[in-house]
PDB file of all heavy atoms in Angstrom:
ATOM      1  N   ARG A 415     139.215  96.560  84.439  1.00  0.00           N
ATOM      2  CA  ARG A 415     138.454  95.350  83.845  1.00  0.00           C
ATOM      3  C   ARG A 415     138.819  95.218  82.304  1.00  0.00           C
ATOM      4  O   ARG A 415     138.969  94.132  81.839  1.00  0.00           O
ATOM      5  CB  ARG A 415     136.984  95.601  84.074  1.00  0.00           C
ATOM      6  CG  ARG A 415     136.460  95.441  85.505  1.00  0.00           C
ATOM      7  CD  ARG A 415     135.055  95.658  85.605  1.00  0.00           C
ATOM      8  NE  ARG A 415     134.604  95.695  86.989  1.00  0.00           N
ATOM      9  CZ  ARG A 415     133.363  95.997  87.411  1.00  0.00           C
ATOM     10  NH1 ARG A 415     132.452  96.385  86.526  1.00  0.00           N
ATOM     11  NH2 ARG A 415     133.112  95.921  88.752  1.00  0.00           N
ATOM     12  N   SER A 416     138.817  96.336  81.706  1.00  0.00           N
ATOM     13  CA  SER A 416     139.101  96.251  80.247  1.00  0.00           C
ATOM     14  C   SER A 416     140.492  95.772  80.029  1.00  0.00           C
ATOM     15  O   SER A 416     140.776  94.977  79.049  1.00  0.00           O
ATOM     16  CB  SER A 416     139.012  97.723  79.605  1.00  0.00           C
ATOM     17  OG  SER A 416     137.695  98.179  79.688  1.00  0.00           O
ATOM     18  N   LEU A 417     141.473  96.166  80.821  1.00  0.00           N
ATOM     19  CA  LEU A 417     142.908  95.766  80.703  1.00  0.00           C
ATOM     20  C   LEU A 417     142.963  94.253  80.983  1.00  0.00           C
ATOM     21  O   LEU A 417     143.686  93.534  80.278  1.00  0.00           O
ATOM     22  CB  LEU A 417     143.774  96.534  81.668  1.00  0.00           C
ATOM     23  CG  LEU A 417     145.237  96.228  81.729  1.00  0.00           C
ATOM     24  CD1 LEU A 417     145.827  96.536  80.227  1.00  0.00           C
ATOM     25  CD2 LEU A 417     146.010  96.950  82.676  1.00  0.00           C
ATOM     26  N   ILE A 418     142.230  93.800  82.024  1.00  0.00           N
ATOM     27  CA  ILE A 418     142.247  92.330  82.350  1.00  0.00           C
ATOM     28  C   ILE A 418     141.694  91.501  81.209  1.00  0.00           C
ATOM     29  O   ILE A 418     142.216  90.561  80.809  1.00  0.00           O
ATOM     30  CB  ILE A 418     141.544  92.030  83.644  1.00  0.00           C
ATOM     31  CG1 ILE A 418     142.280  92.634  84.829  1.00  0.00           C
ATOM     32  CG2 ILE A 418     141.268  90.586  83.881  1.00  0.00           C
ATOM     33  CD1 ILE A 418     141.510  92.618  86.127  1.00  0.00           C
ATOM     34  N   ILE A 419     140.586  91.996  80.684  1.00  0.00           N
ATOM     35  CA  ILE A 419     139.934  91.296  79.512  1.00  0.00           C
ATOM     36  C   ILE A 419     140.879  91.240  78.331  1.00  0.00           C
ATOM     37  O   ILE A 419     141.047  90.214  77.614  1.00  0.00           O
ATOM     38  CB  ILE A 419     138.620  91.946  79.123  1.00  0.00           C
ATOM     39  CG1 ILE A 419     137.583  91.776  80.338  1.00  0.00           C
ATOM     40  CG2 ILE A 419     137.983  91.332  77.889  1.00  0.00           C
ATOM     41  CD1 ILE A 419     136.315  92.587  80.122  1.00  0.00           C
ATOM     42  N   THR A 420     141.451  92.333  78.034  1.00  0.00           N
ATOM     43  CA  THR A 420     142.513  92.423  76.862  1.00  0.00           C
ATOM     44  C   THR A 420     143.592  91.475  77.047  1.00  0.00           C
ATOM     45  O   THR A 420     144.052  90.787  76.193  1.00  0.00           O
ATOM     46  CB  THR A 420     143.051  93.880  76.686  1.00  0.00           C
ATOM     47  OG1 THR A 420     141.903  94.769  76.547  1.00  0.00           O
ATOM     48  CG2 THR A 420     143.982  93.941  75.541  1.00  0.00           C
ATOM     49  N   ILE A 421     144.181  91.439  78.256  1.00  0.00           N
ATOM     50  CA  ILE A 421     145.305  90.577  78.586  1.00  0.00           C
ATOM     51  C   ILE A 421     144.867  89.143  78.429  1.00  0.00           C
ATOM     52  O   ILE A 421     145.543  88.318  77.909  1.00  0.00           O
ATOM     53  CB  ILE A 421     145.957  90.871  79.921  1.00  0.00           C
ATOM     54  CG1 ILE A 421     146.530  92.274  79.896  1.00  0.00           C
ATOM     55  CG2 ILE A 421     146.962  89.794  80.272  1.00  0.00           C
ATOM     56  CD1 ILE A 421     147.124  92.694  81.282  1.00  0.00           C
ATOM     57  N   GLY A 422     143.671  88.808  79.005  1.00  0.00           N
ATOM     58  CA  GLY A 422     143.237  87.460  79.029  1.00  0.00           C
ATOM     59  C   GLY A 422     142.969  86.955  77.582  1.00  0.00           C
ATOM     60  O   GLY A 422     143.332  85.852  77.243  1.00  0.00           O
ATOM     61  N   THR A 423     142.415  87.906  76.767  1.00  0.00           N
ATOM     62  CA  THR A 423     142.208  87.571  75.360  1.00  0.00           C
ATOM     63  C   THR A 423     143.427  87.221  74.570  1.00  0.00           C
ATOM     64  O   THR A 423     143.580  86.319  73.818  1.00  0.00           O
ATOM     65  CB  THR A 423     141.416  88.641  74.672  1.00  0.00           C
ATOM     66  OG1 THR A 423     140.187  88.890  75.378  1.00  0.00           O
ATOM     67  CG2 THR A 423     141.067  88.199  73.201  1.00  0.00           C
ATOM     68  N   ALA A 424     144.475  88.014  74.866  1.00  0.00           N
ATOM     69  CA  ALA A 424     145.787  87.912  74.278  1.00  0.00           C
ATOM     70  C   ALA A 424     146.357  86.628  74.697  1.00  0.00           C
ATOM     71  O   ALA A 424     147.035  85.852  73.844  1.00  0.00           O
ATOM     72  CB  ALA A 424     146.697  89.117  74.597  1.00  0.00           C
ATOM     73  N   VAL A 425     146.316  86.298  75.923  1.00  0.00           N
ATOM     74  CA  VAL A 425     146.878  85.045  76.438  1.00  0.00           C
ATOM     75  C   VAL A 425     146.254  83.857  75.854  1.00  0.00           C
ATOM     76  O   VAL A 425     146.875  82.903  75.429  1.00  0.00           O
ATOM     77  CB  VAL A 425     146.788  85.002  77.990  1.00  0.00           C
ATOM     78  CG1 VAL A 425     147.240  83.549  78.521  1.00  0.00           C
ATOM     79  CG2 VAL A 425     147.745  86.066  78.577  1.00  0.00           C
ATOM     80  N   MET A 426     144.861  83.813  75.721  1.00  0.00           N
ATOM     81  CA  MET A 426     144.140  82.763  75.147  1.00  0.00           C
ATOM     82  C   MET A 426     144.494  82.605  73.790  1.00  0.00           C
ATOM     83  O   MET A 426     144.633  81.426  73.243  1.00  0.00           O
ATOM     84  CB  MET A 426     142.633  82.986  75.321  1.00  0.00           C
ATOM     85  CG  MET A 426     142.199  82.985  76.816  1.00  0.00           C
ATOM     86  SD  MET A 426     142.510  81.199  77.571  1.00  0.00           S
ATOM     87  CE  MET A 426     141.271  80.323  76.695  1.00  0.00           C
ATOM     88  N   ALA A 427     144.621  83.672  72.989  1.00  0.00           N
ATOM     89  CA  ALA A 427     144.923  83.600  71.581  1.00  0.00           C
ATOM     90  C   ALA A 427     146.354  83.074  71.462  1.00  0.00           C
ATOM     91  O   ALA A 427     146.672  82.340  70.500  1.00  0.00           O
ATOM     92  CB  ALA A 427     144.812  84.990  70.954  1.00  0.00           C
ATOM     93  N   GLY A 428     147.264  83.431  72.330  1.00  0.00           N
ATOM     94  CA  GLY A 428     148.658  83.033  72.209  1.00  0.00           C
ATOM     95  C   GLY A 428     148.850  81.634  72.525  1.00  0.00           C
ATOM     96  O   GLY A 428     149.844  80.926  72.015  1.00  0.00           O
ATOM     97  N   CYS A 429     147.981  80.954  73.244  1.00  0.00           N
ATOM     98  CA  CYS A 429     148.101  79.539  73.610  1.00  0.00           C
ATOM     99  C   CYS A 429     147.237  78.597  72.747  1.00  0.00           C
ATOM    100  O   CYS A 429     146.897  77.492  73.151  1.00  0.00           O
ATOM    101  CB  CYS A 429     147.675  79.389  75.070  1.00  0.00           C
ATOM    102  SG  CYS A 429     148.834  80.235  76.208  1.00  0.00           S
ATOM    103  N   SER A 430     146.737  79.118  71.693  1.00  0.00           N
ATOM    104  CA  SER A 430     145.887  78.337  70.766  1.00  0.00           C
ATOM    105  C   SER A 430     146.751  77.268  70.110  1.00  0.00           C
ATOM    106  O   SER A 430     147.903  77.323  70.011  1.00  0.00           O
ATOM    107  CB  SER A 430     145.209  79.180  69.744  1.00  0.00           C
ATOM    108  OG  SER A 430     146.113  79.738  68.907  1.00  0.00           O
ATOM    109  N   VAL A 431     146.053  76.216  69.794  1.00  0.00           N
ATOM    110  CA  VAL A 431     146.685  75.067  69.080  1.00  0.00           C
ATOM    111  C   VAL A 431     147.302  75.541  67.788  1.00  0.00           C
ATOM    112  O   VAL A 431     148.516  75.096  67.454  1.00  0.00           O
ATOM    113  CB  VAL A 431     145.637  73.938  68.791  1.00  0.00           C
ATOM    114  CG1 VAL A 431     146.287  72.785  68.057  1.00  0.00           C
ATOM    115  CG2 VAL A 431     145.051  73.469  70.095  1.00  0.00           C
ATOM    116  N   ASP A 432     146.738  76.316  67.028  1.00  0.00           N
ATOM    117  CA  ASP A 432     147.360  76.865  65.747  1.00  0.00           C
ATOM    118  C   ASP A 432     148.643  77.518  65.968  1.00  0.00           C
ATOM    119  O   ASP A 432     149.594  77.384  65.150  1.00  0.00           O
ATOM    120  CB  ASP A 432     146.383  77.766  65.072  1.00  0.00           C
ATOM    121  CG  ASP A 432     145.176  77.046  64.503  1.00  0.00           C
ATOM    122  OD1 ASP A 432     145.234  75.802  64.299  1.00  0.00           O
ATOM    123  OD2 ASP A 432     144.063  77.675  64.370  1.00  0.00           O
ATOM    124  N   PHE A 433     148.712  78.180  67.124  1.00  0.00           N
ATOM    125  CA  PHE A 433     149.986  79.000  67.398  1.00  0.00           C
ATOM    126  C   PHE A 433     151.181  78.012  67.627  1.00  0.00           C
ATOM    127  O   PHE A 433     152.338  78.380  67.297  1.00  0.00           O
ATOM    128  CB  PHE A 433     149.744  79.837  68.619  1.00  0.00           C
ATOM    129  CG  PHE A 433     151.078  80.642  68.986  1.00  0.00           C
ATOM    130  CD1 PHE A 433     151.419  81.772  68.382  1.00  0.00           C
ATOM    131  CD2 PHE A 433     151.845  80.120  70.072  1.00  0.00           C
ATOM    132  CE1 PHE A 433     152.493  82.432  68.769  1.00  0.00           C
ATOM    133  CE2 PHE A 433     152.961  80.789  70.449  1.00  0.00           C
ATOM    134  CZ  PHE A 433     153.256  81.983  69.823  1.00  0.00           C
ATOM    135  N   LEU A 434     150.849  76.830  68.124  1.00  0.00           N
ATOM    136  CA  LEU A 434     151.914  75.886  68.412  1.00  0.00           C
ATOM    137  C   LEU A 434     152.323  75.044  67.201  1.00  0.00           C
ATOM    138  O   LEU A 434     153.366  74.289  67.327  1.00  0.00           O
ATOM    139  CB  LEU A 434     151.424  74.974  69.533  1.00  0.00           C
ATOM    140  CG  LEU A 434     151.145  75.657  70.842  1.00  0.00           C
ATOM    141  CD1 LEU A 434     150.593  74.699  71.946  1.00  0.00           C
ATOM    142  CD2 LEU A 434     152.422  76.332  71.437  1.00  0.00           C
ATOM    143  N   LYS A 435     151.521  75.130  66.154  1.00  0.00           N
ATOM    144  CA  LYS A 435     151.952  74.298  64.933  1.00  0.00           C
ATOM    145  C   LYS A 435     153.225  74.845  64.302  1.00  0.00           C
ATOM    146  O   LYS A 435     153.378  76.017  64.111  1.00  0.00           O
ATOM    147  CB  LYS A 435     150.788  74.333  64.028  1.00  0.00           C
ATOM    148  CG  LYS A 435     149.624  73.472  64.380  1.00  0.00           C
ATOM    149  CD  LYS A 435     148.453  73.524  63.285  1.00  0.00           C
ATOM    150  CE  LYS A 435     147.310  72.719  63.711  1.00  0.00           C
ATOM    151  NZ  LYS A 435     146.254  72.747  62.708  1.00  0.00           N
ATOM    152  N   PRO A 436     154.188  73.908  63.958  1.00  0.00           N
ATOM    153  CA  PRO A 436     155.449  74.426  63.354  1.00  0.00           C
ATOM    154  C   PRO A 436     155.188  74.912  61.931  1.00  0.00           C
ATOM    155  O   PRO A 436     154.265  74.361  61.202  1.00  0.00           O
ATOM    156  CB  PRO A 436     156.294  73.134  63.321  1.00  0.00           C
ATOM    157  CG  PRO A 436     155.401  72.024  63.381  1.00  0.00           C
ATOM    158  CD  PRO A 436     154.214  72.576  64.227  1.00  0.00           C
ATOM    159  N   ASP A 437     155.908  75.904  61.472  1.00  0.00           N
ATOM    160  CA  ASP A 437     155.708  76.418  60.151  1.00  0.00           C
ATOM    161  C   ASP A 437     157.172  76.582  59.536  1.00  0.00           C
ATOM    162  O   ASP A 437     157.666  77.620  59.430  1.00  0.00           O
ATOM    163  CB  ASP A 437     154.961  77.755  60.195  1.00  0.00           C
ATOM    164  CG  ASP A 437     154.801  78.369  58.737  1.00  0.00           C
ATOM    165  OD1 ASP A 437     154.734  77.444  57.795  1.00  0.00           O
ATOM    166  OD2 ASP A 437     154.592  79.551  58.630  1.00  0.00           O
ATOM    167  N   PRO A 438     157.838  75.502  59.156  1.00  0.00           N
ATOM    168  CA  PRO A 438     159.251  75.542  58.715  1.00  0.00           C
ATOM    169  C   PRO A 438     159.294  76.238  57.383  1.00  0.00           C
ATOM    170  O   PRO A 438     158.347  76.123  56.539  1.00  0.00           O
ATOM    171  CB  PRO A 438     159.596  74.097  58.568  1.00  0.00           C
ATOM    172  CG  PRO A 438     158.288  73.294  58.445  1.00  0.00           C
ATOM    173  CD  PRO A 438     157.271  74.093  59.263  1.00  0.00           C
ATOM    174  N   LEU A 439     160.366  76.969  57.132  1.00  0.00           N
ATOM    175  CA  LEU A 439     160.470  77.632  55.881  1.00  0.00           C
ATOM    176  C   LEU A 439     160.927  76.725  54.757  1.00  0.00           C
ATOM    177  O   LEU A 439     160.814  76.947  53.517  1.00  0.00           O
ATOM    178  CB  LEU A 439     161.658  78.726  56.108  1.00  0.00           C
ATOM    179  CG  LEU A 439     161.175  79.840  57.057  1.00  0.00           C
ATOM    180  CD1 LEU A 439     162.282  80.823  57.131  1.00  0.00           C
ATOM    181  CD2 LEU A 439     159.878  80.569  56.642  1.00  0.00           C
ATOM    182  N   SER A 440     161.611  75.591  55.168  1.00  0.00           N
ATOM    183  CA  SER A 440     162.098  74.501  54.176  1.00  0.00           C
ATOM    184  C   SER A 440     162.203  73.224  54.855  1.00  0.00           C
ATOM    185  O   SER A 440     162.293  73.183  56.060  1.00  0.00           O
ATOM    186  CB  SER A 440     163.431  75.034  53.500  1.00  0.00           C
ATOM    187  OG  SER A 440     164.428  75.117  54.469  1.00  0.00           O
ATOM    188  N   PHE A 441     162.306  72.205  54.050  1.00  0.00           N
ATOM    189  CA  PHE A 441     162.518  70.857  54.619  1.00  0.00           C
ATOM    190  C   PHE A 441     163.791  70.270  54.003  1.00  0.00           C
ATOM    191  O   PHE A 441     163.969  70.162  52.825  1.00  0.00           O
ATOM    192  CB  PHE A 441     161.329  69.982  54.118  1.00  0.00           C
ATOM    193  CG  PHE A 441     160.021  70.208  54.822  1.00  0.00           C
ATOM    194  CD1 PHE A 441     159.171  71.164  54.157  1.00  0.00           C
ATOM    195  CD2 PHE A 441     159.650  69.710  56.021  1.00  0.00           C
ATOM    196  CE1 PHE A 441     157.949  71.477  54.867  1.00  0.00           C
ATOM    197  CE2 PHE A 441     158.539  70.057  56.680  1.00  0.00           C
ATOM    198  CZ  PHE A 441     157.657  70.957  56.076  1.00  0.00           C
ATOM    199  N   TYR A 442     164.765  69.973  54.915  1.00  0.00           N
ATOM    200  CA  TYR A 442     166.025  69.440  54.502  1.00  0.00           C
ATOM    201  C   TYR A 442     165.843  67.898  54.397  1.00  0.00           C
ATOM    202  O   TYR A 442     166.144  67.210  55.410  1.00  0.00           O
ATOM    203  CB  TYR A 442     167.148  69.846  55.482  1.00  0.00           C
ATOM    204  CG  TYR A 442     168.523  69.422  54.907  1.00  0.00           C
ATOM    205  CD1 TYR A 442     169.083  70.147  53.907  1.00  0.00           C
ATOM    206  CD2 TYR A 442     169.224  68.352  55.433  1.00  0.00           C
ATOM    207  CE1 TYR A 442     170.370  69.649  53.404  1.00  0.00           C
ATOM    208  CE2 TYR A 442     170.436  67.965  55.041  1.00  0.00           C
ATOM    209  CZ  TYR A 442     171.004  68.733  53.956  1.00  0.00           C
ATOM    210  OH  TYR A 442     172.218  68.263  53.568  1.00  0.00           O
ATOM    211  N   GLU A 443     165.305  67.366  53.420  1.00  0.00           N
ATOM    212  CA  GLU A 443     165.051  66.064  53.334  1.00  0.00           C
ATOM    213  C   GLU A 443     165.493  65.569  51.939  1.00  0.00           C
ATOM    214  O   GLU A 443     165.393  66.280  50.906  1.00  0.00           O
ATOM    215  CB  GLU A 443     163.516  65.797  53.457  1.00  0.00           C
ATOM    216  CG  GLU A 443     163.032  64.298  53.560  1.00  0.00           C
ATOM    217  CD  GLU A 443     162.760  63.795  52.307  1.00  0.00           C
ATOM    218  OE1 GLU A 443     162.421  64.475  51.405  1.00  0.00           O
ATOM    219  OE2 GLU A 443     162.844  62.556  52.115  1.00  0.00           O
ATOM    220  N   PRO A 444     166.140  64.356  51.752  1.00  0.00           N
ATOM    221  CA  PRO A 444     166.784  63.929  50.544  1.00  0.00           C
ATOM    222  C   PRO A 444     165.969  64.109  49.253  1.00  0.00           C
ATOM    223  O   PRO A 444     166.511  64.666  48.261  1.00  0.00           O
ATOM    224  CB  PRO A 444     167.089  62.520  50.785  1.00  0.00           C
ATOM    225  CG  PRO A 444     167.298  62.313  52.262  1.00  0.00           C
ATOM    226  CD  PRO A 444     166.331  63.337  52.828  1.00  0.00           C
ATOM    227  N   THR A 445     164.747  63.694  49.364  1.00  0.00           N
ATOM    228  CA  THR A 445     163.947  63.872  48.081  1.00  0.00           C
ATOM    229  C   THR A 445     163.694  65.307  47.640  1.00  0.00           C
ATOM    230  O   THR A 445     163.403  65.573  46.479  1.00  0.00           O
ATOM    231  CB  THR A 445     162.515  63.177  48.264  1.00  0.00           C
ATOM    232  OG1 THR A 445     161.894  63.631  49.405  1.00  0.00           O
ATOM    233  CG2 THR A 445     162.732  61.624  48.408  1.00  0.00           C
ATOM    234  N   ASN A 446     163.858  66.207  48.567  1.00  0.00           N
ATOM    235  CA  ASN A 446     163.720  67.630  48.168  1.00  0.00           C
ATOM    236  C   ASN A 446     165.095  68.158  47.902  1.00  0.00           C
ATOM    237  O   ASN A 446     165.273  68.950  46.933  1.00  0.00           O
ATOM    238  CB  ASN A 446     163.106  68.381  49.405  1.00  0.00           C
ATOM    239  CG  ASN A 446     161.649  68.061  49.580  1.00  0.00           C
ATOM    240  OD1 ASN A 446     160.917  67.896  48.695  1.00  0.00           O
ATOM    241  ND2 ASN A 446     161.263  68.096  50.879  1.00  0.00           N
ATOM    242  N   THR A 447     166.027  67.890  48.720  1.00  0.00           N
ATOM    243  CA  THR A 447     167.375  68.401  48.555  1.00  0.00           C
ATOM    244  C   THR A 447     168.080  67.972  47.307  1.00  0.00           C
ATOM    245  O   THR A 447     168.611  68.785  46.591  1.00  0.00           O
ATOM    246  CB  THR A 447     168.342  68.102  49.724  1.00  0.00           C
ATOM    247  OG1 THR A 447     167.661  68.403  51.005  1.00  0.00           O
ATOM    248  CG2 THR A 447     169.685  68.699  49.586  1.00  0.00           C
ATOM    249  N   PHE A 448     167.966  66.786  46.867  1.00  0.00           N
ATOM    250  CA  PHE A 448     168.513  66.217  45.714  1.00  0.00           C
ATOM    251  C   PHE A 448     167.587  66.107  44.456  1.00  0.00           C
ATOM    252  O   PHE A 448     167.718  65.224  43.733  1.00  0.00           O
ATOM    253  CB  PHE A 448     169.122  64.778  46.050  1.00  0.00           C
ATOM    254  CG  PHE A 448     170.152  64.850  47.172  1.00  0.00           C
ATOM    255  CD1 PHE A 448     169.912  64.081  48.318  1.00  0.00           C
ATOM    256  CD2 PHE A 448     171.229  65.665  47.149  1.00  0.00           C
ATOM    257  CE1 PHE A 448     170.841  64.067  49.308  1.00  0.00           C
ATOM    258  CE2 PHE A 448     172.087  65.778  48.160  1.00  0.00           C
ATOM    259  CZ  PHE A 448     171.945  64.959  49.286  1.00  0.00           C
TER     260      PHE A 448
END
């Protein structure tokens, strides 16, 4: 039961909206690049 709960919690956390938000390291866009 503990293992199932742990896996379920991990799956739910992994599928959160925040996890899917992109976090680019930089933006290759003219106003930034030039």
